[in-house]
């Protein structure tokens, strides 16, 4: 078993310390056992978390490469969490999606890590969520890349401050998010491969059209065109991301968003480990009251449910 990670080590220790912390939380029951560490990391949300989602082949990893290199030029430290559906053999073969990230292994300021998707395509495991929280404490920018197809797009909203949806020219992707509810709307939408010309412009017009019919929330998503190949549209993208960050910083928007995310982490973990019935048992239990931070809460709820349901405590 890996030694217990501490926030001090992660903040001071560079890549090896971060890698050790991730190994600890990925061990069986690790997120529950290291709840105190994870809550400490959660208490110092230093970096911005950008979620990038979209279908396989749309250009997410290529765009991530550009974002990494630009952030490094600005002197920012960057972590990438790539949620990789190809870890599930058949799906990966089907989609042909491999993370195509080219980073310099010698660069102390970039940390890239792949995680297997959870049950459904692109879904975030509790370890991936915990890793995002750790990275957020230690890096200036955390990029979480997930393959989003319909439903799983919503998962990225569990961890990201800002969700960026990538749309492929000539794909009809634009119709897909129109069907989604307000909660699942991305914050920024980019049509990738703008260098393709007319099909990209058409896709943008389609997305704008779909968006004009969609019921948006308080934030209205912006639609941009980007070419990672030509590095065009990047200034507009940064402006759009900054505008969203600025909007989130008003009043208690960010705090409210994170509180909703954290409740969802707890409920997801309990549903995963104890099923829907187990989650219902917890939600209707008097033990539920308490104001501890999310990872301690998960650990306590797991222990309570394990005892109540006669199951093994996953952290024991
Ligand atoms: N023409 C063009 N091709 C691109 C661009 N960005 C990515 N691609 C290509 O699209 C394919 C899929 O890219 P990738 O980043 O791996 O997509 P992902 O599956 O969404 O991560 C690769 O062959 C890339 O070279 C772009 O800006 N223009
Ligand atoms: Mg990729």
């Amino acid at each position: 078993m890996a030694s217990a990670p501490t926030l001090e080590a992660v903040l001071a220790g560079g890549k090896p310390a971060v890698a050790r912390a991730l190994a600890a939380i990925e061990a069986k029951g690790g997120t529950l056992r290291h709840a105190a560490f994870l809550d400490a990391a959660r208490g110092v949300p230093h970096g911005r978390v950008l979620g990038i989602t979209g279908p396989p082949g749309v250009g997410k990893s290529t765009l991530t490469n550009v974002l990494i290199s630009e952030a490094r030029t600005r002197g920012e430290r960057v972590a990438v969490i790539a949620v990789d559906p190809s870890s599930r053999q058949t799906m990966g073969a089907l989609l042909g999606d491999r993370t195509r990230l080219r980073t310099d292994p010698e660069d102390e300021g970039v940390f890239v890590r792949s995680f297997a998707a959870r049950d459904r395509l692109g879904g975030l495991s509790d370890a991936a969520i915990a890793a995002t929280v750790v990275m957020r404490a230690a890096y200036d920018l955390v990029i979480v890349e997930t393959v989003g197809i319909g439903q799983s797009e919503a998962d990225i909203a569990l961890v990201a401050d800002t969700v960026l949806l990538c749309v492929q020219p000539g794909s009809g992707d634009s119709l897909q998010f129109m069907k989604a509810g307000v909660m699942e709307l991305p914050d920024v939408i980019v049509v990738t491969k703008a260098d393709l010309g007319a099909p990209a412009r058409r896709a943008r017009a389609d997305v704008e059209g779909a968006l004009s019919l969609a019921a948006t929330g308080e934030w209205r998503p912006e639609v941009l065109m980007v070419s990672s190949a030509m590095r065009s549209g990047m200034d507009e993208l940064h402006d759009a991301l900054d505008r969203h960050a600025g909007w989130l910083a008003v009043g208690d928007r960010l705090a409210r968003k994170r509180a909703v995310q954290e409740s969802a982490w707890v409920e997801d973990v309990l549903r995963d480990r104890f099923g829907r019935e187990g989650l219902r048992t917890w939600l209707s239990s008097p033990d539920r009251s308490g104001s501890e931070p999310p990872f301690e809460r998960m650990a306590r709820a797991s222990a309570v449910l394990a005892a109540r349901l006669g199951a093994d405590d996953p952290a024991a």
Side-chain angles (χ1 to χ4, degrees):
M1 192 175 89
S3 64
T6 65
L7 185 58
E8 292 69 31
V10 163
L11 295 183
K15 282 175 163 182
V18 174
R20 274 196 301 277
L22 296 190
I25 59 181
E26 276 184 285
K28 190 164 179 290
T31 50
L32 301 179
R33 210 175 314 114
H34 300 296
F37 160 67
L38 292 171
D39 282 325
R42 170 249 180 208
V44 285
H46 164 78
R48 295 170 292 149
V49 182
L50 173 64
I52 301 189
T53 189
V58 67
K60 299 180 296 296
S61 298
T62 312
L63 178 60
T64 298
N65 277 322
V66 175
L67 292 171
I68 293 170
S69 94
E70 291 184 349
R72 294 303 294 138
T73 303
R74 289 194 300 272
E76 293 182 5
R77 303 174 73 247
V78 190
V80 179
I81 293 176
V83 178
D84 185 1
S86 61
S87 312
R88 300 180 66 205
Q89 288 298 323
T90 50
M91 285 292 193
L94 205 68
L95 298 171
D97 183 84
R98 273 262 151 228
T99 309
R100 293 184 187 88
L101 287 174
R102 298 175 311 270
T103 55
D104 174 4
E106 301 291 306
D107 184 351
E108 268 293 319
V110 181
F111 192 101
V112 177
R113 185 56 191 284
S114 288
F115 281 84
R118 202 178 56 178
D119 47 353
R120 61 179 183 272
L121 195 63
L124 268 65
S125 64
D126 66 330
I129 289 173
T132 307
V133 170
V134 172
M135 304 298 210
R136 185 175 70 185
Y139 290 83
D140 302 307
L141 172 63
V142 183
I143 298 176
V144 184
E145 179 188 332
T146 66
V147 173
I149 299 175
Q151 169 63 33
S152 64
E153 263 155 36
D155 249 38
I156 190 75
L158 282 181
V159 295
D161 299 329
T162 300
V163 173
L164 178 71
L165 173 68
C166 295
V167 172
Q168 166 96 14
S171 64
D173 289 344
S174 51
L175 298 176
Q176 214 172 41
F177 72 90
M178 213 171 71
K179 295 183 232 142
V182 174
M183 295 301 291
E184 284 148 42
L185 277 180
D187 303 304
V188 179
I189 302 166
V190 293
V191 174
T192 53
K193 311 183 188 182
D195 49 283
L196 296 180
R201 287 192 295 275
R202 220 161 25 241
R204 182 190 189 164
D206 286 350
V207 172
E208 298 268 19
L211 207 53
S212 71
L213 301 173
T216 57
E218 296 168 87
W219 170 259
R220 190 173 174 75
E222 296 188 43
V223 188
L224 313 163
M225 292 204 296
V226 158
S227 167
S228 302
M230 312 297 286
R231 291 215 179 193
S232 68
M234 294 306 296
D235 290 347
E236 290 82 354
L237 175 55
H238 287 297
D239 288 348
L241 296 177
D242 285 349
R243 266 194 298 278
H244 186 251
W247 180 85
L248 267 183
V250 173
D252 63 351
R253 278 177 185 144
L254 185 58
R256 270 192 291 142
K257 180 174 196 136
R258 289 190 171 154
V260 170
Q261 290 175 333
E262 290 170 357
S263 295
W265 301 345
V266 175
E267 294 187 11
D268 265 19
V269 158
L270 297 181
R271 199 184 297 108
D272 257 16
R273 300 212 161 105
F274 303 100
R276 290 188 172 280
E277 199 51 48
L279 173 59
R280 255 196 300 276
T281 302
W282 172 253
L283 292 178
S284 61
S285 148
D287 296 319
R288 188 191 172 197
S289 62
S291 56
E292 70 270 72
F295 291 98
E296 290 288 1
R297 194 175 183 78
M298 261 174 225
R300 183 169 66 84
S302 284
V304 167
L305 283 176
R308 173 100 42 102
L309 304 172
D312 287 340
D313 181 351

